[in-house]
Amino acid sequence: MSTIKNVTVLGTGVLGSQIAFQTAFSGFEVTAYDISDEILEKAKERFATLAATYKTDGLDPDGTKTEAALGRLSYSADLAEAVADADLVIEAVPEVLEIKQETYEKLGKVAPEKTIFASNSSTLPLSALKDFTGRPERFIGLHFANQVWKFNTGEVMGTTDTDPAVFDTLVEFAGDIGMVPIPIHKEKPGWLLNSLLVPFLSAAQDLAFGGYAEPEDIDKVWRIATGAPKGPFQILDIIGLTTPYNISVHGDEHAQQVAAWLKENYIDKGKLGLASGEGFYKYGADERA
Ligand code: NAD
């Protein structure tokens, strides 16, 4: 068990709410912080939905553990109050550099000296944030995958300034909250998962865009020949097509052509992926939950 007891999660959106709930579910006292009381009311709804999902997904069939988790969650829209006794702050605010830098600047001033700051940022480099924290040796990355209770990786990555003891604490903490800790030895944009996944998904889109084969046949060869449960287009449907579109549209000329293909053939037709009922595949209501 790590030395962490009290955890504060900044941002209660898609990932922040999952991280806060999973941490409370694992027995920690958790404060959920967001910028207004109205948003915190929405967070309560997200937590109730997560509690129901944990039950149906078999993590807590009789509801006692999720009930206890809800009891360990508290809420605050006041940053100083939210972190007053935090051993660890996990930051899951929007993926916008200025918002993150400003958040760390404020946080560094109000958090106790003991507090470790961990960022869940997917694409912004940790080294662009560390100097805003006022404590780069206690600043680290802890990266989760969406649906943390199911896809439970905890990638742990420091910067050149991170204290090795802080790194070890976070590896231990990731395990304590039910993640499989994945230590990364040095700073890598995209972490491990996205360093693998983004080129893989781009290669698949290139094949379909280039007219070499149909998406379902590209998925088929990948599944059958490697034993993987899902092909790249099934994964893209789960992620949602606007994310690969946003990545490609900011790329080179070829990537922009792929983005235009995605837009014309899928996005403009409302085929946004699993959540919208159709992407590269069609889905029934029961598959969308
Ligand atoms: P989101 O937009 O769903 O949620 C962001 C939350 O932060 C909102 O509740 C918002 O009110 C709040 N917020 C806005 N400004 C804030 C501020 N100044 N201080 C505190 N909170 C503020 O975003 P998300 O998808 O949960 O992503 C959050 C972080 O997690 C990003 O860094 C993202 O890269 C990372 N991440 C997301 C995923 C994913 O699949 N969505 C996966 C891994 C990592």
Side-chain angles (χ1 to χ4, degrees):
M1 204 61 184
S2 74
T3 49
I4 307 289
K5 286 197 177 64
N6 302 322
V7 179
T8 300
V9 178
L10 307 187
T12 58
V14 176
L15 252 282
S17 58
Q18 294 179 18
I19 297 166
F21 190 78
Q22 176 67 24
T23 305
F25 186 74
S26 307
F28 292 84
E29 295 299 323
V30 179
T31 304
Y33 165 83
D34 214 305
I35 45 176
S36 71
D37 289 329
E38 292 74 50
I39 295 176
L40 288 172
E41 283 307 312
K42 289 208 184 92
K44 288 178 191 167
E45 289 167 25
R46 284 183 191 270
F47 293 137
T49 306
L50 284 167
T53 306
Y54 277 46
K55 278 184 226 164
T56 50
D57 278 6
L59 277 89
D60 180 34
D62 68 4
T64 48
K65 284 175 77 187
T66 47
E67 199 56 42
L70 291 170
R72 281 191 287 271
L73 279 158
S74 53
Y75 303 84
S76 177
D78 176 330
L79 187 61
E81 178 190 88
V83 302
D85 193 24
D87 299 302
L88 172 66
V89 168
I90 303 176
E91 172 269 306
V93 308
E95 191 73 358
V96 177
L97 186 62
E98 296 72 32
I99 294 181
K100 297 229 190 234
Q101 289 177 338
E102 197 184 305
T103 300
Y104 280 112
E105 221 165 18
K106 286 188 191 151
L107 178 64
K109 289 185 186 133
V110 295
E113 259 178 49
K114 66 170 182 175
T115 314
I116 295 172
F117 302 165
S119 180
N120 180 46
S121 175
S122 291
T123 59
L124 299 170
L126 297 178
S127 49
L129 303 174
K130 66 179 181 183
D131 291 337
F132 290 80
T133 65
R135 61 185 78 187
E137 70 293 343
R138 295 185 82 67
F139 174 62
I140 190 160
L142 176 58
H143 191 244
F144 297 83
N146 195 7
Q147 302 193 359
V148 301
W149 64 97
K150 244 193 319 199
F151 305 125
N152 59 332
T153 52
E155 294 182 78
V156 181
M157 180 168 86
T159 73
T160 48
D161 289 330
T162 307
D163 180 344
V166 168
F167 189 92
D168 293 345
T169 299
L170 261 281
V171 168
E172 209 172 330
F173 171 76
D176 291 343
I177 59 166
M179 299 300 109
V180 176
I182 312 282
I184 303 179
H185 300 316
K186 51 185 173 180
E187 203 178 340
K188 173 79 181 87
W191 306 74
L192 300 187
L193 178 64
N194 287 334
S195 296
L196 294 165
L197 194 57
V198 173
F200 171 64
L201 298 178
S202 303
Q205 290 170 78
D206 276 352
L207 290 172
F209 162 73
Y212 294 100
E214 296 304 314
E216 43 282 28
D217 291 319
I218 297 168
D219 278 357
K220 229 179 255 171
V221 73
W222 182 256
R223 285 196 310 266
I224 297 171
T226 68
K230 287 192 168 66
F233 291 98
Q234 292 172 291
I235 297 173
L236 282 163
D237 271 357
I238 293 169
I239 295 170
L241 271 55
T242 47
T243 301
Y245 172 77
N246 286 330
I247 294 173
S248 297
V249 87
H250 294 111
D252 60 17
E253 202 183 326
H254 174 72
Q256 287 177 27
Q257 287 171 355
V258 175
W261 166 78
L262 268 179
K263 185 170 183 304
E264 194 184 321
N265 292 286
Y266 299 95
I267 294 172
D268 285 351
K269 292 180 178 166
K271 299 177 181 180
L272 302 176
L274 177 62
S276 73
E278 187 170 0
F280 294 102
Y281 296 88
K282 278 194 173 144
Y283 301 92
D286 54 326
E287 294 171 288
R288 288 198 236 167

